[in-house]
Amino acid sequence: MELHDVWFVLIAVLWTGYFFLEGFDFGVGVLTKLLARNRPEKRVLINTIGPVWDGNEVWLLSAGGATFAAFPEWYATLFSGFYLPLLLILVCLIVRGVAFEYRAKRPEENWQRNWETAIFWTSLIPAFLWGVAFGNIVHGVKIDQDFNYAGGVLDLLNPYALLGGLVTLALFTFHGTVFVGLKTVGEIRERARKLALRVGPVTALLALAFLLWTQSDRGDGASLVAVIAAVASLVVALVAARARREGWAFALSGLTIVATVAMLFLTLFPNVMPSTLNPDWSLTVTNASSSPYTLKIMTWCAAIATPVVMVYQGWTYWVFRKRIGTQHIAETVH
């Protein structure tokens, strides 16, 4: 296996880790409007991800940085062609981080409500737009012979990509509900379970339609296995949620995300951005990659740094592993 193939796999792993971790993160943000009934319950939801949300975003930085260094042509075409949606995602992530930190700085009702609204929208919008972006990457976009994006913003809003956005939004919301069920106690835990049982079937139908569309368009035997794994994991996650086995439900909803992202990258390879104008103008792992020497240095750096980061992040989750409820929220800090 060539180093550019290795880095394609590593970038797929980074995006998978990001969507697994930030997926429930976004889902909890959406649930602040759908699940919480009062201010203490909103505080509980925010506290479930408070110690980890910024660490989850490290995976996005790593995926973007790895793409820039390993596949500069891919990075240039992607970030120039998808400039507006990616800028909107970036703005949402910035505002979202500020909202988490500033919400409890003042006790006024309007102040806290406005920041809670910001958390909701800046969780929902990226959850949708990431699906739109990856839908376009896999399905193909207008790339000319100079590897420049030749389309417009409206070209990105095609039916396949919009369906992809609905899938990621629904899947992240479901992932968030089972995470809340895993991390909370009391009435909010039970409501999270019931909401998961309502969101899950809708998510399964959307995911099945999107994955079958992708499979029929570009799939092979390996991607078909990933499709089956994704759908089966989601169904069993629903069964586990119904049986109040939140740990299994969360693990299986995460496996659904892993299998879905794996399926997308399997159908994409060896391309990194297919051209709908001419297949010969597609960006591939070969023509979009950096030099072998650059990839070799990157591989050594990743081999040293990645285990350290993963151990530290795993330790963080272990430290903050206990369930919380409204009884843990001080009356003066809502």
Side-chain angles (χ1 to χ4, degrees):
M1 181 182 285
E2 299 290 337
L3 277 179
H4 51 64
D5 296 332
V6 172
W7 273 97
F8 179 86
V9 174
L10 291 176
I11 288 172
V13 170
L14 290 171
W15 280 111
T16 302
Y18 174 66
F19 287 139
F20 181 97
L21 296 172
E22 194 80 328
F24 72 76
D25 201 325
F26 287 141
V28 172
V30 172
L31 293 177
T32 56
K33 289 288 187 183
L34 302 182
L35 188 63
R37 292 180 177 176
N38 52 47
R39 187 126 289 115
E41 289 188 351
K42 292 180 180 180
R43 182 72 254 178
V44 168
L45 292 180
I46 294 172
N47 282 4
T48 62
I49 59 174
V52 299
W53 68 267
D54 47 355
N56 294 344
E57 292 186 356
V58 171
W59 289 78
L60 173 61
L61 299 176
S62 300
T67 303
F68 172 77
F71 299 100
E73 289 283 359
W74 184 12
Y75 183 92
T77 303
L78 175 64
F79 279 78
S80 59
F82 293 20
Y83 178 79
L84 286 178
L86 291 178
L87 177 62
L88 181 56
I89 290 175
L90 178 61
V91 170
C92 285
L93 294 180
I94 293 171
V95 174
R96 188 168 180 264
V98 173
F100 283 136
E101 299 297 332
Y102 274 71
R103 175 191 173 275
K105 295 296 184 182
R106 290 169 56 179
E108 290 87 347
E109 178 79 13
N110 288 340
W111 173 271
Q112 295 193 1
R113 184 171 59 247
N114 289 338
W115 285 119
E116 289 162 4
T117 300
I119 290 172
F120 171 77
W121 285 109
T122 56
S123 298
L124 185 149
I125 292 172
F128 176 76
L129 288 181
W130 280 127
V132 173
F134 270 83
N136 279 290
I137 292 172
V138 173
H139 195 61
V141 293
K142 295 178 179 179
I143 299 176
D144 62 22
Q145 59 186 347
D146 296 320
F147 300 143
N148 295 319
Y149 178 65
V153 175
L154 294 181
D155 292 319
L156 302 177
L157 303 178
N158 56 79
Y160 176 82
L162 292 175
L163 177 59
L166 292 176
V167 169
T168 52
L169 176 57
L171 187 55
F172 292 168
T173 303
F174 176 73
H175 198 38
T177 59
V178 294
F179 177 77
V180 170
L182 178 65
K183 287 288 294 178
T184 60
V185 295
E187 185 180 351
I188 194 169
R189 175 187 178 188
E190 181 62 20
R191 291 206 307 273
R193 185 187 72 87
K194 292 179 179 178
L195 183 59
L197 296 178
R198 293 198 296 269
V199 173
V202 177
T203 304
L205 291 176
L206 290 171
L208 182 61
F210 179 73
L211 293 174
L212 290 179
W213 190 344
T214 307
Q215 178 67 23
S216 65
D217 191 26
R218 298 180 178 273
D220 55 15
S223 61
L224 180 59
V225 172
V227 171
I228 295 172
V231 176
S233 298
L234 186 54
V235 172
V236 181
L238 275 168
V239 174
R242 184 178 294 275
R244 293 179 170 80
R245 301 297 297 271
E246 291 97 346
W248 281 105
F250 178 72
L252 288 164
S253 67
L255 182 57
T256 302
I257 294 175
V258 171
T260 300
V261 178
M263 192 268 184
L264 294 179
F265 276 92
L266 284 169
T267 58
L268 186 59
F269 186 81
N271 294 320
V272 292
M273 282 190 77
S275 173
T276 57
L277 299 178
N278 187 330
D280 294 334
W281 299 343
S282 297
L283 289 168
T284 68
V285 293
T286 303
N287 64 24
S289 69
S290 294
S291 67
Y293 181 74
T294 300
L295 296 177
K296 184 177 180 179
I297 296 298
M298 290 176 59
T299 303
W300 279 108
C301 293
I304 296 170
T306 303
V308 176
V309 174
M310 294 187 69
V311 168
Y312 176 79
Q313 191 167 21
W315 176 78
T316 302
Y317 276 91
W318 175 256
V319 170
F320 295 99
R321 67 189 181 276
K322 293 184 178 180
R323 295 176 182 268
I324 60 174
T326 53
Q327 67 269 29
H328 301 114
I329 305 299
E331 292 184 4
T332 57
V333 184
H334 290 168

